[in-house]
């Protein structure tokens, strides 16, 4: 059961990362979702910027791994699953800039759509 729960945690973790990266675009159709996205995005940045701040999903996966007699993820979730396997380390700065651009565009687009809806309603 612990192996299954560890796998579920990995899937949820990837979904959370996708939401952090692209959740701002959801605001174009559902502006109230930005309140949730701001929390996820801030937490994602904090976990990657503040040394020693644990990610609760990584901690949960490590718990289930320990239940199976395995060790903690070496280097954490990103290090284990993403760096070099999905994204080459040489492209990490490009991905970081792209993520910031997507965030700015998604929030600007949400604001423009919200403003236009407000004008139509008035």
């Amino acid at each position: 059961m612990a192996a299954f729960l560890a796998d579920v945690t990995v899937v949820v973790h990837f979904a959370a990362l996708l939401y952090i990266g692209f959740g701002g675009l959801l605001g174009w159709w559902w502006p109230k979702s930005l309140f949730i996205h701001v929390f996820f995005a801030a937490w994602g940045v904090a976990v990657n910027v503040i040394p020693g701040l644990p990610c609760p999903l990584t901690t949960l996966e490590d718990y289930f791994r320990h239940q199976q007699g395995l060790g903690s993820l070496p280097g954490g979730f990103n290090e284990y699953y993403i760096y070099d396997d999905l994204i080459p380390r040489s492209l990490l700065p490009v991905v970081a800039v792209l993520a910031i651009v997507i965030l700015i565009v998604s929030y600007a687009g949400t604001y423009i759509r919200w403003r236009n809806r407000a004008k139509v309603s008035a």
Side-chain angles (χ1 to χ4, degrees):
M1 184 63 154
F4 171 74
L5 292 174
D7 291 343
V8 169
T9 305
V10 171
V11 170
V12 169
H13 210 152
F14 272 111
L17 288 176
L18 287 172
Y19 182 66
I20 289 169
F22 299 104
L25 296 172
L26 181 61
W28 291 21
W29 295 276
W30 188 31
K32 291 180 182 180
S33 70
L34 288 185
F35 295 109
I36 298 167
H37 185 260
V38 166
F39 170 76
F40 269 82
W43 186 262
V45 169
V47 164
N48 285 291
V49 172
I50 300 172
L53 183 64
C55 173
L57 291 171
T58 301
T59 303
L60 186 61
E61 184 181 352
D62 283 344
Y63 171 79
F64 292 130
R65 288 174 58 87
H66 290 224
Q67 296 295 312
Q68 300 172 71
L70 302 171
S72 298
L73 289 173
F77 184 86
N78 293 346
E79 186 80 30
Y80 190 76
Y81 291 109
I82 296 176
Y83 302 160
D84 292 328
D85 292 326
L86 294 178
I87 302 171
R89 288 184 191 272
S90 60
L91 291 180
L92 288 177
V94 174
V95 171
V97 169
L98 184 61
I100 291 169
V101 169
I102 290 170
L103 181 72
I104 291 169
V105 167
S106 67
Y107 277 45
T110 299
Y111 173 73
I112 291 167
R113 289 178 61 97
W114 172 79
R115 190 185 68 206
N116 289 341
R117 281 186 196 166
K119 285 181 183 179
V120 171
S121 299

